[in-house]
Amino acid sequence: MALFIGLGLTSARAWAATSYVDGISDQSLPAWDGSFSGSPFANFFRGSWAGSPPVRITLARYVVQWNALTGASKGPNAAGDYREKFEAWLEDVRSIGLTPLVALTSYNGIYPKAAHEYQARLEELLNKATAMGHPIGYVEAWNEPNNQGHESAVKAAELANAANAICEMVHTCRVIVGDFEDTSTVASYEKAYESALTFSADTWGVHPYVSVKAHNDANLLSFKANLPKHGVGDQIWFTEVGAFYCKHGEVRGEGQQARDAAYLVKTLIPDPSVAPAHVFYYGFLAGNHLQAPCAGGGGDDSELYARTDEPRAAASVIFGTTIARQSLAFGPNPGGDLIAFA
């Protein structure tokens, strides 16, 4: 296994489970309140969650178009193309001292034709980040290959093999394999995926959306039980998880979102049979003062804060009422009561 000296990363075998949400997965971060650099919410986030003391959020995740760097860039731009948005995100998260994690995917229906094509594009992403002074700490080869990523288990494993080869070569990143959603078929998918890996993986990503929505972790435990050695000695990362305010056009509301959030932080994260090493919440605030889409065709909203920067009830569940309430002092429309689920 490569040594990750530059970033101070340690062996995946020496780890402790987290007891709280310690990562952010939010595509909208560069566009918070229209612009991260001038965003009141970004200032609040910097001082309350990413600041010191205490440091709560230390990791940030972005799902990037796999060939984003094939086009020219006019510079970081939250309203730009795939490349410019990624560059803006990278500058913003590093400005507040967060370690970046990237997951690759296809948003436009164009997929890598071969592993070597994918590998070349990933190397470009890593080199660009390093050149910007913001090296990538962790790589997820393909986002939710068993759902959003739409890849077979064997193809997804081939991409993980390619990513691992690059990370071992450049010595600045570690590959988190899997990155599965905890669907009812995740265990069988994982078996086919693992059998196609050409390296010994010990850090697995999973998105327990189904567990949180159902308040039932059966799929997640089945996934872990089917890992090599039943997951003993492995790290499990919740690289993306959220409690839904709206799911595919169904407005579930703040109360249900808060109850789901309570299951996440009070039941799922502390469960020793799961013991996640890190947990990334998706998402915090939609960009440009907009509400996250809520449409029957696939719009979801798991934001902790409404478009006015006001905290939803789930924010106080996950981070505590005191921190959640602090945002009421700076939001454009302050006021309103939180529902008590903490």
Side-chain angles (χ1 to χ4, degrees):
M1 178 176 291
L3 296 177
F4 305 95
I5 298 173
L7 291 173
L9 304 180
T10 59
S11 168
R13 295 295 179 180
W15 66 279
T18 186
S19 59
Y20 54 90
V21 171
D22 62 349
I24 177 173
S25 181
D26 196 328
Q27 307 294 103
S28 299
L29 184 147
W32 282 349
D33 296 323
S35 170
F36 185 87
S37 61
S39 165
F41 185 83
N43 288 334
F44 161 68
F45 181 85
R46 180 185 291 108
S48 297
W49 290 343
S52 177
V55 174
R56 293 175 172 83
I57 302 293
T58 60
L59 299 156
R61 176 180 183 268
Y62 190 86
V63 185
V64 64
Q65 174 71 19
W66 69 276
N67 59 350
L69 264 65
T70 54
S73 172
K74 296 180 181 179
N77 183 357
D81 60 17
Y82 292 128
R83 174 176 182 157
E84 292 163 353
K85 287 179 179 178
F86 170 66
E87 291 172 351
W89 173 87
L90 195 58
E91 285 200 342
D92 291 339
V93 299
R94 292 298 290 185
S95 75
I96 50 178
L98 304 183
T99 298
L101 178 156
V102 297
L104 279 65
T105 196
S106 174
Y107 293 112
N108 59 9
I110 298 174
Y111 290 77
K113 294 183 176 64
H116 67 83
E117 181 185 18
Y118 165 90
Q119 194 171 47
R121 301 291 83 81
L122 173 58
E123 189 171 10
E124 287 175 350
L125 283 168
L126 296 175
N127 288 342
K128 177 61 177 178
T130 299
M132 290 175 64
H134 314 315
I136 301 298
Y138 303 93
V139 171
E140 293 172 289
W142 202 254
N143 181 63
E144 283 186 13
N146 65 328
N147 191 356
Q148 183 273 330
H150 300 295
E151 286 285 16
S152 70
V154 171
K155 179 63 179 294
E158 290 175 357
L159 300 182
N161 294 333
N164 186 66
I166 287 292
C167 282
E168 288 194 335
M169 180 177 70
V170 300
H171 299 281
T172 60
C173 55
R174 175 184 299 151
V175 171
I176 300 169
V177 298
D179 207 20
F180 311 135
E181 185 173 6
D182 63 334
T183 63
S184 60
T185 59
V186 66
S188 59
Y189 188 96
E190 182 277 322
K191 288 180 181 178
Y193 178 97
E194 194 277 330
S195 66
L197 291 177
T198 58
F199 64 101
S200 179
D202 57 10
T203 307
W204 293 80
V206 64
H207 302 172
Y209 283 110
V210 174
S211 297
V212 169
K213 188 171 182 288
H215 296 202
N216 186 322
D217 61 358
N219 294 349
L220 181 61
L221 294 179
S222 178
F223 153 75
K224 186 173 181 180
N226 282 280
L227 290 175
K229 297 181 292 186
H230 308 294
V232 174
D234 290 342
Q235 288 193 34
I236 305 298
W237 289 37
F238 292 174
T239 52
E240 186 180 312
V241 66
F244 292 110
Y245 174 85
C246 167
K247 178 68 173 173
H248 293 331
E250 175 197 357
V251 177
R252 305 174 77 241
E254 283 198 47
Q256 187 58 58
Q257 184 189 29
R259 285 186 284 273
D260 292 350
Y263 174 80
L264 171 64
V265 298
K266 296 182 178 181
T267 301
L268 195 59
I269 294 176
D271 185 348
S273 64
V274 179
H278 297 288
V279 177
F280 294 69
Y281 191 88
Y282 185 97
F284 279 60
L285 176 72
N288 299 310
H289 299 294
L290 299 175
Q291 179 112 353
C294 182
D300 296 334
D301 182 350
S302 59
E303 311 297 336
L304 293 176
Y305 286 76
R307 63 183 181 87
T308 57
D309 290 355
E310 293 181 60
R312 289 175 172 167
S316 64
V317 173
I318 292 178
F319 292 107
T321 302
T322 301
I323 290 178
R325 283 184 179 277
Q326 288 175 2
S327 69
L328 297 175
F330 68 80
N333 294 302
D337 295 326
L338 291 174
I339 302 172
F341 286 97

